[in-house]
Amino acid sequence: MFDYGLVPDNFTFPFVLKACAALSAIEHGREIHEHVVQTGWEKDVFVGAALIDMYAKCGCVGSAREVFDKILVRDAVLWNSMLAAYSQNGHPDACLSLCSEMVLTGLRPTEATLVTAISASADNAALPQGRELHGLSWRQEFESHDKVKTALVDMYAKCGSVRVARNLFERLGVKRVVSWNAMITGYAMHGHATEALDLFEEMNRVAKPDHITFVGVLSACSHGGLLEEGWMFFETMIRDYKIDPTVQHYTCMVDLLGHSGRLDEAYNLIMQMKVVPDSGVWGALLNSCKIHGNVELGEIALERLIELEPDDAGNYVILSNIYAQAGKWEGVAKLRKLMTDRRLKKSIACSWIEVKNKVHAFLSGDTSHPLSDEIYAELERVGGLMKEAGYSPSTGSVFHDVEDDEKANMVCSHSERLAIAFGLISTPPGTRLLITKNLRICEDCHVAIKFISKITEREITIRDVNRYHHFKDGVCSCGDYW
């Protein structure tokens, strides 16, 4: 086109930028951006939206925001493009903040606006914001839009309100496959395996399951410890539905086999995979090795993980824990040195709780909160009652060369316990507490929170990096299987 002396316009550039986005061709995209600037189309909303989309799909969110900020007259499409850029690249907070900014300008949100923002609330476990968006969508007369309602089903399920999610699901005018998938996956996250499988059977009578459906079903089997059912669904998916297993399906099966103690079978399945195993597959095997103390397979899993993601310190820490559990301190020292040489640092555990529309975050051993003295006093009070009820701290998750008493103190001040203690002193008796954690909950905290739920007569929900744990009357919904 340039060779013919023709100048691209605001119809040409969006198509070319869409091609760059489809190919993740960031260098070509930047070249096209230069042509956009040279031809004076940078502030056009159509071209701007295409540039934002291109940068977002290439993972360059900062560049997308720079384009957005330069366009002063913005329509809903442009706002939606930037919202999607944040949401798709793991910035749910920024997405929600920008959505609030959009509403304050007086611009009416579209269906795409609401679906994107509601999805960001789901990713962030931000139930209050999700409820606000629910109300906004109804006030803007989107209550009949099934795409919005499906996003709300997904949001409520991921934010711990699975009953509300099911209620909305039943009210859907047309239940599309994506709607069934959202509800099945929601049940799986909460460990409600029976409900997930019952819903799958119901879906099977009216809609054809797809590969995402089976990810939800196999995840439910994995979280519920249903080994025989998991194998049956895996084989049925291939034989009856002609769906080739993806890496997500294999991850679920490796996790299910590994948790069940069938580590050799899990490893053999990985060796037979028809797709290349990713970090999720090897990570599932490594976590299972930690549960069952299998050093040999743990070393193999870490070796593969280092090839795939050499800078993820968490993998090194898990094998270090396996070594420590087996008393192989030379292995612990070797991994610590390797992490030091590679300048890797262990991920910092963080838990947060929302009280009165304000988020309160805590690190392990944190003393920075204004109510820190009261929080630790509550921990001590509850800790005394727990000991009377038979609780004894397990320091197996602490692999520091310190005395046992100090190890116990370290365990008892884990971030989720600080968040719970803050919730106990900041909410009326009987209020349900919802805690979100960026890492997997440790074994001792899992035991401790069961005691706390019974002593305080509270329902406590923990959303960790893997799943939901609902603690009530001294029992966890996961059945101590996670």
Side-chain angles (χ1 to χ4, degrees):
M1 186 175 181
F2 277 111
D3 289 344
Y4 277 94
L6 299 173
V7 179
D9 60 15
N10 61 338
F11 287 93
T12 317
F13 283 121
F15 286 111
V16 182
L17 289 165
K18 182 176 281 191
C20 293
L23 295 169
S24 296
I26 184 62
E27 295 306 320
H28 287 296
R30 292 193 188 279
E31 288 177 16
I32 301 301
H33 190 175
E34 289 179 11
H35 287 302
V36 169
V37 175
Q38 291 165 5
T39 52
W41 288 108
E42 190 176 20
K43 295 183 180 180
D44 180 85
V45 290
F46 296 105
V47 178
L51 278 167
I52 291 168
D53 181 65
M54 183 275 293
Y55 279 123
K57 286 178 177 166
C58 292
C60 302
V61 186
S63 298
R65 185 60 194 251
E66 287 176 12
V67 173
F68 179 81
D69 288 338
K70 287 178 181 176
I71 303 174
L72 302 180
V73 181
R74 304 163 181 157
D75 64 359
V77 173
L78 195 76
W79 283 94
N80 291 344
S81 296
M82 194 62 230
L83 289 170
Y86 279 134
S87 181
Q88 293 164 5
N89 285 277
H91 300 286
D93 284 329
C95 178
L96 292 170
S97 177
L98 191 69
C99 182
S100 298
E101 192 178 326
M102 175 184 177
V103 172
L104 289 173
T105 65
L107 194 65
R108 186 177 186 270
T110 66
E111 181 182 69
T113 310
L114 292 165
V115 169
T116 303
I118 291 167
S119 296
S121 299
D123 293 338
N124 215 24
L127 184 58
Q129 289 98 319
R131 283 176 174 154
E132 287 179 18
L133 288 163
H134 187 172
L136 176 64
S137 63
W138 260 233
R139 290 194 300 276
Q140 296 290 341
E141 300 179 349
F142 283 97
E143 68 270 17
S144 61
H145 289 232
D146 283 343
K147 285 185 180 179
V148 173
K149 285 199 279 190
T150 296
L152 286 168
V153 168
D154 183 59
M155 182 276 295
Y156 278 111
K158 287 181 177 176
C159 290
S161 299
V162 70
R163 290 192 192 95
V164 178
R166 183 60 187 262
N167 197 323
L168 282 167
F169 174 78
E170 294 299 341
R171 294 184 191 177
L172 284 170
V174 177
K175 293 183 176 72
R176 298 176 296 142
V177 171
V178 67
S179 310
W180 290 97
N181 290 349
M183 197 63 241
I184 290 170
T185 303
Y187 275 134
M189 284 184 67
H190 291 269
H192 299 324
T194 301
E195 290 84 347
L197 299 186
D198 287 347
L199 196 63
F200 172 76
E201 294 301 328
E202 187 180 333
M203 173 191 183
N204 221 3
R205 291 192 288 269
V206 296
K208 185 179 179 181
D210 63 9
H211 70 284
I212 296 173
T213 313
F214 279 99
V215 170
V217 168
L218 294 175
S219 178
C221 292
S222 176
H223 287 161
L226 305 177
L227 182 58
E228 291 183 10
E229 292 85 345
W231 266 123
M232 183 270 290
F233 282 115
F234 186 72
E235 292 170 352
T236 298
M237 175 186 76
I238 300 169
R239 184 184 63 247
D240 299 341
Y241 293 88
K242 311 302 180 186
I243 296 174
D244 293 327
T246 66
V247 72
Q248 289 94 341
H249 299 121
Y250 282 114
T251 300
C252 291
M253 289 306 299
V254 170
D255 187 63
L256 177 54
L257 288 165
H259 271 71
S260 302
R262 309 282 187 89
L263 292 169
D264 288 335
E265 290 180 45
Y267 180 67
N268 289 336
L269 180 63
I270 295 174
M271 293 296 98
Q272 296 166 15
M273 284 175 59
K274 296 180 180 179
V275 294
V276 178
D278 68 356
S279 59
V281 172
W282 290 112
L285 182 63
L286 183 61
N287 279 312
S288 297
C289 289
K290 179 179 181 295
I291 293 169
H292 298 286
N294 190 313
V295 175
E296 184 180 351
L297 280 179
E299 290 174 335
I300 294 172
L302 180 64
E303 187 178 332
R304 299 293 188 273
L305 284 165
I306 289 174
E307 294 172 2
L308 294 167
E309 41 185 29
D311 297 328
D312 189 333
N315 297 325
Y316 299 80
V317 172
I318 292 173
L319 183 57
S320 177
N321 291 354
I322 297 172
Y323 281 141
Q325 288 172 334
K328 294 181 177 292
W329 301 108
E330 69 283 356
V332 174
K334 180 182 176 182
L335 279 176
R336 284 182 179 173
K337 183 178 185 305
L338 186 59
M339 290 177 68
T340 301
D341 293 344
R342 296 187 177 184
R343 298 181 180 178
L344 301 177
K345 291 184 179 180
K346 181 180 177 181
S347 299
I348 297 173
C350 179
S351 297
W352 55 96
I353 180 173
E354 190 160 343
V355 176
K356 296 177 181 177
N357 294 323
K358 184 178 179 182
V359 175
H360 300 262
F362 299 88
L363 306 178
S364 291
D366 204 340
T367 57
S368 62
H369 195 279
L371 297 178
S372 184
D373 291 342
E374 292 89 336
I375 290 169
Y376 278 93
E378 179 67 6
L379 272 181
E380 189 172 348
R381 182 189 75 82
V382 173
L385 295 173
M386 288 164 61
K387 286 180 182 178
E388 290 177 11
Y391 166 74
S392 177
S394 170
T395 57
S397 60
V398 181
F399 301 106
H400 297 272
D401 300 324
V402 296
E403 297 298 325
D404 286 344
D405 286 349
E406 189 174 346
K407 284 186 178 183
N409 288 334
M410 293 170 73
V411 168
C412 292
S413 60
H414 277 184
S415 61
E416 57 265 54
R417 298 205 205 181
L418 296 176
I420 290 170
F422 173 75
L424 292 174
I425 64 174
S426 305
T427 59
T431 303
R432 172 179 171 247
L433 303 180
L434 172 59
I435 316 294
T436 305
K437 185 176 181 180
N438 67 331
L439 301 176
R440 183 179 183 271
I441 185 172
C442 78
E443 290 85 349
D444 182 72
C445 284
H446 193 269
V447 173
I449 297 169
K450 289 196 291 185
F451 275 94
I452 294 172
S453 70
K454 188 169 186 178
I455 290 167
T456 62
E457 298 181 346
R458 298 268 196 143
E459 183 178 348
I460 303 171
T461 299
I462 306 286
R463 177 187 177 180
D464 73 4
V465 71
N466 289 334
R467 61 174 295 167
Y468 274 92
H469 296 267
H470 298 277
F471 299 89
K472 188 176 181 181
D473 297 327
V475 178
C476 179
S477 60
C478 75
D480 299 335
Y481 182 94
W482 87 100

